[in-house]
Amino acid sequence: MNLIVIKHKVKLAQKEKYISTPINETVFTGEISGIVKKLNVATDARVVLFNKQTFKYVASTVSKMGVYKFEKVPLGVYFVVALDPNSAYNAVIQDNVVLE
């Protein structure tokens, strides 16, 4: 039984213009945020974001009082991994986090 829980929410589609290659490409992005709890109490943890299609690392952060946020994430499907800093509990995965 996992005692670390991830709850997430998705904020969608901020339209941004990038002036890098290709010039004036419009990229839609969103935000993935949530809270990590251990034994039903918000807890600091390393939180890592991966692209589900490519399994590539996207970003990582350390939650502050359980709260984490990934901003300017390109639209797609992701999974979030929360790691207990004391390695007392298993890592927890929130799968199929969709920005569309």
Side-chain angles (χ1 to χ4, degrees):
M1 176 165 120
N2 289 326
L3 299 176
I4 297 179
V5 176
I6 303 173
K7 294 186 178 182
H8 76 278
K9 66 180 180 177
V10 174
K11 181 179 175 184
L12 288 181
Q14 299 170 352
K15 189 175 178 182
E16 299 181 0
K17 288 257 185 187
Y18 288 90
I19 303 177
S20 60
T21 310
I23 295 176
N24 295 325
E25 176 184 358
T26 299
V27 176
F28 289 92
T29 63
E31 175 182 289
I32 297 172
S33 61
I35 189 164
V36 179
K37 293 183 177 181
K38 179 167 49 173
L39 301 174
N40 214 24
V41 176
T43 187
D44 294 343
R46 166 74 54 199
V47 183
V48 186
L49 182 65
F50 293 92
N51 181 296
K52 184 162 180 161
Q53 281 88 21
T54 64
F55 295 102
K56 289 187 178 180
Y57 165 88
V58 176
S60 68
T61 188
V62 175
S63 65
K64 306 287 188 243
M65 296 178 58
V67 177
Y68 68 90
K69 184 188 302 187
F70 297 105
E71 297 177 304
K72 297 183 179 180
V73 178
L75 301 186
V77 181
Y78 298 90
F79 62 96
V80 179
V81 179
L83 304 164
D84 181 21
N86 301 320
S87 299
Y89 298 97
N90 294 332
V92 175
I93 299 171
Q94 178 68 53
D95 200 6
N96 290 320
V97 178
V98 179
L99 286 172
E100 58 183 11

